[in-house]
Amino acid sequence: MDLLEELLADARELIGCESPSTDLAAVARSADVVARVGERRLGRAPERIVLDGRTHLRWRLGEGASRVLLLGHHDTVWPIGSLGTHPCAVTDAAEGGVLRGPGCLDMKVGLAMAFHAAAGQDGVTLLVTGDEELGSPSSRGLVEEEARAAGAALVLEAAADGGALKSERKGVSLYDVRLLGRAAHAGLEPERGVNATLELAHQSLAVAALADPAAGTTVTPTAARSGQTTNTVPAEGSFAVDVRVRSLAEQQRVDDAVRALRPVLDGAAVEVHGGPNRPPLEASSSAALLERAQGLAARLGLPPLEATAVGGASDGNFTAGVGTPTLDGLGAVGGGAHADHEHVLLAPLVGRTTLLRALVEDLLAVPTNRARATCGARP
């Protein structure tokens, strides 16, 4: 069986076990399958780590300190029953082949690639989490712990368009802004009330004005609600805010400004809940690893390797946030993540897996400066 056939066999097995993040039993079943496939390729069973009912898997390969962290997740956004409407299959052979199926791109194929890249290596930790699609509520600390002990983090999220690596990811902040007013009858004595809907309008405009397109900062008021009945001056309301930033400085600027919101209407009050959720993966965190990957691609005779900045977040934000050099988007090439047309292109798959293995071997042979400084740091 050649490498492509092995990758497809592993991917089909992984895709064949549905694993929606919100279904703890499904995630546990998926962990069993991931463990079985990984043990077959890596020659050892993983450590199972259950946090808040969610199952994560960790392989530590070799006897020395971890120098390279391979990072992926096995949960998906697809509900149970999706295989019935989106069966796992290879189609379009005339175009080189396309693999389809729920979670194939995000990121079951990336896991298959990671197993082949890590096999036989000494000094690699492979961490596969089970709640990334929810924002990693239980696994964030685990991801950060493993990243601090490693010299580099390679994230198996899917590539960007055209196979580009993801050298930058925006950081995320999430807020719930609550407005408190005073109820009154809207027909008889509206002047006795303090209208939370009007305060909400003032504050949502103030928040939206914090965006800075030139810096890549978006500040977007999203879900909003106010009041209870149509004939009552609303006494309370709230709106959510989604913030995306390219730098820690911008994340801090927006956070300071949101927390400094003050009411416009006499008698109103403003409460702010939430804050930064993920730090940004800045270009400086990925630059050295990207240069290595591009050099290896050239030596392997692969197409020139491009990189791009993306707005979405991943666990790579956490690894970069603790200071670990991080390169993201090393997984499969395809499109339609989370959508009906989710797919993986088969033509680049062997080359991408070969590149990933070469990058791991290169980092083990010539560690990053951080790896030299942290060697042996694992307790």
Side-chain angles (χ1 to χ4, degrees):
M1 191 180 291
D2 64 19
L3 179 55
L4 179 58
E5 291 174 330
E6 291 179 350
L7 288 166
L8 283 175
D10 291 349
R12 285 191 175 103
E13 192 170 349
L14 295 168
I15 295 166
C17 185
E18 295 174 318
S19 53
S21 308
T22 54
D23 187 327
L24 296 182
V27 172
R29 289 193 299 270
S30 172
D32 290 339
V33 175
V34 175
R36 182 173 69 239
V37 174
E39 184 172 1
R40 186 166 66 233
R41 297 300 177 193
L42 302 176
R44 66 173 65 184
E47 178 184 359
R48 293 172 183 264
I49 305 168
V50 180
L51 301 171
D52 296 335
R54 305 188 181 280
T55 307
H56 317 295
L57 303 172
R58 178 172 61 198
W59 282 267
R60 287 182 176 158
L61 305 178
E63 302 303 322
S66 175
R67 286 167 281 163
V68 178
L69 172 63
L70 292 176
L71 185 58
H73 64 89
H74 67 102
D75 61 313
T76 75
V77 301
W78 293 86
I80 294 293
S82 295
L83 280 169
T85 54
H86 299 75
C88 180
V90 174
T91 61
D92 303 318
E95 301 175 10
V98 174
L99 175 66
R100 304 181 190 276
C104 62
L105 184 68
D106 189 12
M107 55 172 294
K108 299 292 181 76
V109 172
L111 296 183
M113 294 170 63
F115 291 139
H116 285 264
Q121 306 286 11
D122 186 338
V124 172
T125 293
L126 172 55
L127 180 63
V128 182
T129 63
D131 63 354
E132 192 274 346
E133 296 292 2
L134 298 176
S136 309
S138 74
S139 63
R140 175 175 181 169
L142 182 62
V143 170
E144 291 175 336
E145 173 191 359
E146 293 300 329
R148 289 189 183 97
L154 306 179
V155 185
L156 273 298
E157 293 286 352
D161 291 346
L165 300 184
K166 296 170 180 177
S167 56
E168 295 180 65
R169 282 187 181 272
K170 287 187 177 182
V172 180
S173 298
L174 301 173
Y175 299 93
D176 179 34
V177 181
R178 299 179 185 176
L179 303 313
L180 303 177
R182 183 170 61 247
H185 195 292
L188 296 177
E189 47 186 11
E191 70 281 357
R192 290 182 176 273
V194 177
N195 196 317
T197 298
L198 292 179
E199 188 63 45
L200 186 154
H202 285 299
Q203 298 300 333
S204 60
L205 289 171
V207 164
L210 298 174
D212 185 346
T217 300
T218 60
V219 184
T220 308
T222 57
R225 64 168 190 82
S226 183
Q228 301 294 329
T229 63
T230 58
N231 61 349
T232 304
V233 174
E236 55 87 26
S238 68
F239 65 98
V241 184
D242 179 291
V243 179
R244 308 282 169 142
V245 295
R246 298 173 82 174
S247 70
L248 283 171
E250 274 295 278
Q251 194 167 44
Q252 187 63 57
R253 177 188 70 82
V254 174
D255 188 64
D256 290 343
V258 172
R259 296 187 187 286
L261 292 173
R262 296 294 180 265
V264 174
L265 303 179
D266 289 341
V270 178
E271 296 179 354
V272 174
H273 303 268
N277 173 265
R278 291 179 190 249
L281 165 55
E282 299 187 50
S284 58
S285 296
S286 63
L289 293 177
L290 175 60
E291 184 177 358
R292 285 203 195 198
Q294 290 172 325
L296 288 168
R299 289 198 288 276
L300 291 168
L302 298 174
L305 198 58
E306 303 296 330
T308 190
V310 296
S314 82
D315 283 343
N317 293 67
F318 295 141
T319 61
V322 299
T324 302
T326 298
L327 189 57
D328 204 337
L330 285 158
V333 179
H338 298 192
D340 287 340
H341 63 291
E342 182 168 355
H343 66 279
V344 170
L345 301 177
L346 299 188
L349 187 53
V350 169
R352 297 282 290 199
T353 305
T354 302
L355 173 64
L356 178 63
R357 184 173 179 87
L359 182 55
V360 170
E361 291 173 344
D362 187 60
L363 288 166
L364 292 173
V366 185
T368 63
N369 289 333
R370 176 184 169 87
R372 295 189 189 101
T374 61
C375 187
R378 184 182 305 285

